[in-house]
Amino acid sequence: MGRENTVLLIIWMYFLSLSSSFSTTIAPTVETSAFIGNITTNSTDWMMDFSDIESKFALRTIEEPEEDLCYIAPGQQDTIKECNFNPDTKTFIVIHGWTVTGMYESWVSKLVTALYEREPTANVIVVDWLDRAQQHYPTSAAYTKPVGRDVAKFVNWLQAELEYPWEKLHFLGYSLGAHVAGIAGLLTKNKVSRITGMDPAGPSFEYADAQSTLSPDDAQFVDVLHTNTRGSPDRSIGIQRPVGHVDIYPNGGTFQPGCDLQNTMMMVATSGLRNMDQIVKCSHERSIHLFIDSLVNMKQQSMAYRCSSKETFNKGVCLSCRKNRCNKVGYEVNKVRSRRSSKMYTKTREMMPYKVFHYQVKVHFFSNSKISYTDQPMKISLYGYSGEKENIPYIMPALKTNTTISFLLTTDVDIGELLMVKLLWEKDTILSWPWWNPDTFHIRKLRVKSGETQSRVIFIAKEGEFAYLTRGGEASMFVKDKEAQSSHKNKRLHKLKMHGSSFKNTAIDA
């Protein structure tokens, strides 16, 4: 126990050191101030001056995704051919974030590999701004503006040299790199097709203006994954506010499965403190791996749903695909641009493939006496044509007489069309023995909605009018009500929403 406390103390001290770095306000440097001046003037002379560019642009290959073997240098046309840039296909520009070590992190090569796996003929260019990114955090954060200017100059030059189509350019930025991408998108002569922000950095950017951060104005379409927004505004590692056309908050956006204390302790025990930065960034970096997952697991695309808050989403009431209320997560996101940012939520597993299936379960509880409980442990089992998932744990926040409760249930198993549901109320203390006259609820039916298929199914008690749910007793069993089959209209509506006019790539939601 002493060893565990020591490790916890070290981890806590590391967090404090990061927090103190993050909380420092960015002081305007001479370089930053000059840059702001360039933005506000009408002069475009700075676009053609490549002498002050410090960032490097490496065109990586499918054969060597880990190495920067060839650099395309703005102003040097020969380097375009030397690096075998393909002008007839799309181009991904990958922009890393703040780094403690001053070296590329392992995710860079993984993302490059996944992009080439999905788009073998594409150009994948990695922006190297490591020298500026390894500074004290506030300094590196201030450097996002000159680095964004470097990227804009590079893209403007490349497009002019090759008459390269703007619609083939896709920026992918992580952490501080997401804001670099936004600034670059702001400064390009025309809007690039897409910017994907992977958990854009929060400290010093939460309250910054649109010219200093990623924003919907920076590209034709901006999609954002928020995975580490825990903490007070401007102190959370990832930015909390929406900054895109579509902002997705996996698992609420605050914390990701598999990044808990138990896994942290295991990593420390096996690899020591040298990987402490990876431990801290587990949820932060999950944004990248969710995007990689969408590239390589094409048949297991995660879905996200528009909702007002994570608390409302956890009640299961937001699993609708009407009027662009649902979308794919990652590479195949449908490019729906609305006047307001769409906040969307999804649940995931703790490892790749991350996809889970979402269900809203709605149930009304009756009883002969007035009963009221909080935080009750339940286990729900789902059985379908394609598979089954038993004993899914769920803590019922409130459970009382004559109340309808709706909650979100997820499973990593594709069970297909639902046929049967079991509901078990566990005993949470040794005093909950059945022969001590335990409390019992009566349940007439369950209503279950699938987020992925949009089907609605009513389940009735397997035997009799009611099923009986007893604390610490046997599971209640419910079977599909054949007289209340999900309508053909719902299935047709889902097909229309997923493949019809509402999901055209350039849709505008009025």
Side-chain angles (χ1 to χ4, degrees):
M1 189 67 181
R3 181 183 177 186
E4 179 177 312
N5 287 335
T6 301
V7 173
L8 285 174
L9 178 61
I10 294 172
I11 293 172
W12 178 244
M13 291 174 64
Y14 189 83
F15 268 106
L16 286 178
S17 68
L18 285 182
S19 297
S20 63
S21 295
F22 286 160
S23 61
T24 306
T25 302
I26 297 177
T29 62
V30 173
E31 185 174 9
T32 303
S33 299
F35 169 72
I36 294 173
N38 281 331
I39 290 181
T40 55
T41 63
N42 292 326
S43 173
T44 58
D45 295 342
W46 64 272
M47 290 187 183
M48 304 306 297
D49 179 12
F50 307 128
S51 61
D52 61 346
I53 292 180
E54 294 186 21
S55 305
K56 300 176 183 178
F57 305 91
L59 178 54
R60 294 201 179 182
T61 66
I62 193 169
E63 295 82 14
E64 297 286 347
E66 298 181 1
E67 301 294 334
D68 289 343
L69 300 178
C70 192
Y71 294 96
I72 300 178
Q76 299 179 32
Q77 188 179 31
D78 291 346
T79 60
I80 297 175
K81 291 183 178 179
E82 289 172 3
C83 293
N84 295 316
F85 182 89
N86 185 350
D88 299 321
T89 188
K90 62 179 61 178
T91 296
F92 300 102
I93 296 182
V94 177
I95 310 172
H96 64 79
W98 186 47
T99 172
V100 176
T101 63
M103 298 184 293
Y104 287 122
E105 295 167 306
S106 61
W107 66 261
V108 176
S109 60
K110 293 176 182 176
L111 178 57
V112 171
T113 300
L115 287 167
Y116 274 129
E117 183 175 329
R118 188 59 174 272
E119 303 286 354
T121 63
N123 307 293
V124 181
I125 296 173
V126 174
V127 180
D128 175 355
W129 65 288
L130 291 171
D131 288 343
R132 288 166 161 174
Q134 66 175 327
Q135 306 299 318
H136 188 52
Y137 178 82
T139 303
S140 293
Y143 275 134
T144 56
K145 288 188 175 180
V147 175
R149 180 180 58 185
D150 287 354
V151 175
K153 284 185 178 183
F154 171 76
V155 170
N156 285 333
W157 169 76
L158 190 67
Q159 190 278 331
E161 288 290 332
L162 303 174
E163 295 185 358
Y164 190 77
W166 293 99
E167 60 268 19
K168 290 184 179 180
L169 285 164
H170 183 175
F171 294 170
L172 300 102
Y174 165 59
S175 193
L176 286 181
H179 298 304
V180 170
I183 293 165
L186 175 69
L187 296 177
T188 52
K189 292 179 181 178
N190 288 290
K191 287 187 179 182
V192 300
S193 173
R194 179 178 174 186
I195 296 177
T196 296
M198 296 173 287
D199 211 28
S204 301
F205 295 95
E206 191 71 52
Y207 301 113
D209 58 42
Q211 286 191 342
S212 304
T213 67
L214 179 63
S215 76
D217 297 328
D218 298 330
Q220 290 292 332
F221 179 71
V222 179
D223 60 302
V224 185
L225 288 167
H226 300 261
T227 55
N228 194 351
T229 62
R230 176 178 288 187
S232 58
D234 209 39
R235 286 180 177 265
S236 66
I237 293 177
I239 200 166
Q240 295 181 359
R241 63 184 172 93
V243 288
H245 294 105
V246 173
D247 288 75
I248 298 175
Y249 295 78
N251 305 295
T254 56
F255 183 78
Q256 301 305 310
C259 297
D260 51 27
L261 179 59
Q262 182 178 357
N263 283 277
T264 298
M265 296 289 292
M266 185 176 297
M267 186 177 291
V268 171
T270 56
S271 62
L273 300 179
R274 65 181 180 274
N275 290 325
M276 185 65 75
D277 64 321
Q278 293 301 316
I279 296 169
V280 172
K281 292 188 298 182
C282 179
S283 289
H284 193 36
E285 197 173 295
R286 181 63 58 82
S287 57
I288 302 166
H289 298 290
L290 287 168
F291 194 85
I292 291 174
D293 181 49
S294 73
L295 290 166
V296 300
N297 292 309
M298 291 178 283
K299 294 183 179 180
Q300 301 184 67
Q301 293 287 315
S302 295
M303 296 295 298
Y305 305 88
R306 189 192 303 176
C307 206
S308 59
S309 68
K310 63 181 180 181
E311 291 78 16
T312 304
F313 180 70
N314 288 335
K315 293 179 181 179
V317 298
C318 296
L319 301 184
S320 172
C321 285
R322 295 180 65 250
K323 296 184 178 180
N324 300 319
R325 287 191 175 95
C326 71
N327 209 329
K328 295 176 183 177
V329 177
Y331 186 59
E332 289 194 354
V333 64
N334 294 292
K335 298 177 182 178
V336 180
R337 294 174 294 149
S338 59
R339 293 187 178 92
R340 295 177 56 189
S341 296
S342 289
K343 293 184 69 173
M344 309 189 89
Y345 295 84
T346 186
K347 293 283 188 178
T348 72
R349 291 175 2 116
E350 65 180 30
M351 63 184 67
M352 196 180 298
Y354 292 107
K355 179 183 177 64
V356 299
F357 297 85
H358 300 75
Y359 296 94
Q360 177 194 12
V361 181
K362 194 173 183 181
V363 54
H364 189 87
F365 294 95
F366 302 89
S367 65
N368 293 326
S369 58
K370 192 172 183 179
I371 310 171
S372 180
Y373 290 97
T374 58
D375 299 327
Q376 291 302 293
M378 300 281 174
K379 284 188 177 178
I380 301 101
S381 300
L382 304 177
Y383 303 87
Y385 275 122
S386 303
E388 60 187 47
K389 183 70 173 183
E390 295 186 315
N391 298 322
I392 305 170
Y394 181 78
I395 302 297
M396 198 76 74
L399 188 60
K400 56 185 178 180
T401 303
N402 200 26
T403 301
T404 300
I405 294 177
S406 174
F407 61 93
L408 179 68
L409 195 67
T410 61
T411 170
D412 57 357
V413 176
D414 182 4
I415 62 177
E417 185 180 350
L418 268 175
L419 298 174
M420 185 171 68
V421 179
K422 286 185 180 180
L423 184 60
L424 176 68
W425 185 6
E426 295 186 283
K427 57 181 180 181
D428 57 354
T429 70
I430 60 173
L431 298 178
S432 300
W433 296 337
W435 55 82
W436 281 30
N437 191 25
D439 291 325
T440 299
F441 284 103
H442 304 60
I443 303 173
R444 178 178 284 115
K445 62 181 66 176
L446 300 177
R447 290 178 172 85
V448 181
K449 178 179 179 179
S450 167
E452 278 62 35
T453 67
Q454 295 292 285
S455 64
R456 299 173 183 266
V457 183
I458 295 177
F459 292 85
I460 58 176
K462 185 176 181 181
E463 298 178 358
E465 183 181 359
F466 289 96
Y468 299 96
L469 185 65
T470 301
R471 192 181 192 190
E474 298 292 325
S476 302
M477 299 180 65
F478 301 86
V479 294
K480 193 172 183 179
D481 186 351
K482 295 181 180 179
E483 296 181 0
Q485 298 274 349
S486 56
S487 68
H488 175 70
K489 179 181 178 181
N490 282 338
K491 293 181 180 179
R492 186 172 62 84
L493 177 62
H494 174 64
K495 185 176 181 180
L496 176 64
K497 291 298 181 183
M498 296 303 293
H499 304 290
S501 59
S502 294
F503 272 81
K504 288 182 180 178
N505 286 345
T506 56
I508 303 294
D509 184 9

